[in-house]
Structures are given as structure tokens and as C-alpha cells.
Amino acid sequence: MELSGKIIQKLPEVGGTSKSGNSWKKQEYILETSGQYAKKVCVSVWGDKIDQFAISEGENVTMSIDVESREYNGRWYTEVKAFKVDKNGGGSAPSNLPEMDTFHSEGEEDKLPF
């Protein structure tokens, strides 16, 4: 599944240690979809992907997501996890394309007869 929209909020990073002694960290973002009926979705990013994706507020992104629900004490909890993030040019990043020369000439001798 994919979600596209603008990151409107970056929540504080949380972390801890699991029962097996492994450390973990999670960063959550609020993504607002575009369209007539915009939706807000809380999306989590886990572990090393937090630094890899480097998502900032105000960026337009497309996220590949997994949706998972689990039961705890008779209640169900749903989490939306991002495993891939493509930035859609929310900022004004410089282009890596080389400058191109035009083939248009103003001189009379370069004009073609057709």
C-alpha cells in the first residue's frame, strides 16, 4: 500500500529495551493526504530507517506502508508502519542535471530553407 501527502507534524522519538534485551526506537509522523477530503494518518518508522529516511515537517512524501493490528488485553491496536519513503520535492533541492546548450542560432546563415 502507498500513502502520499505532506508531513504536518513530527512526534517525539521514543525508544526502550525489549524483554529480550534488544534496544528499539520509533519515530511517528502525521501525514495529511491531499484531495477534497484530506485525511490525517499517524505513520511510524522503526529503527535505523529513522535516520535513513530523514523526514522533516513540511515535506511531500509517498510512503510504502504495512498496516498491522494486534490484540492486547481484549483491545485491538492498529499501527501503520512505513518501510520505504520517496520524497516528492517538498523542498527546493537543487537539480543534479547538467546545463544544456540550445541549438537555436540567431544568425541568418544558420537558417534552414524548410
Side-chain angles (χ1 to χ4, degrees):
M1 268 178 131
E2 285 190 344
L3 275 177
S4 294
K6 183 177 184 178
I7 301 296
I8 60 170
Q9 189 176 3
K10 181 179 178 178
L11 301 177
E13 184 178 304
V14 294
T17 305
S18 67
K19 290 180 184 179
S20 61
N22 297 323
S23 63
W24 60 271
K25 63 181 181 174
K26 174 175 78 165
Q27 179 78 58
E28 292 179 315
Y29 304 89
I30 307 301
L31 179 126
E32 184 174 45
T33 62
S34 58
Q36 185 176 4
Y37 302 106
K39 306 282 187 223
K40 293 180 177 86
V41 181
C42 182
V43 181
S44 0
V45 176
W46 287 82
D48 295 337
K49 293 186 188 233
I50 297 170
D51 296 327
Q52 178 184 347
F53 297 155
I55 303 168
S56 302
E57 284 186 27
E59 286 185 311
N60 290 314
V61 296
T62 299
M63 297 180 158
S64 297
I65 60 165
D66 283 327
V67 179
E68 181 182 2
S69 296
R70 6 180 236 292
E71 185 265 338
Y72 179 74
N73 289 338
R75 294 199 54 172
W76 284 89
Y77 299 89
T78 301
E79 184 170 31
V80 179
K81 296 180 184 179
F83 61 88
K84 180 182 173 189
V85 175
D86 293 320
K87 297 183 181 183
N88 299 335
S92 57
S95 174
N96 291 336
L97 297 175
E99 288 186 28
M100 298 284 295
D101 288 334
T102 61
F103 296 103
H104 176 70
S105 176
E106 296 295 325
E108 197 65 36
E109 67 277 354
D110 291 334
K111 290 189 178 181
L112 297 175
F114 50 89

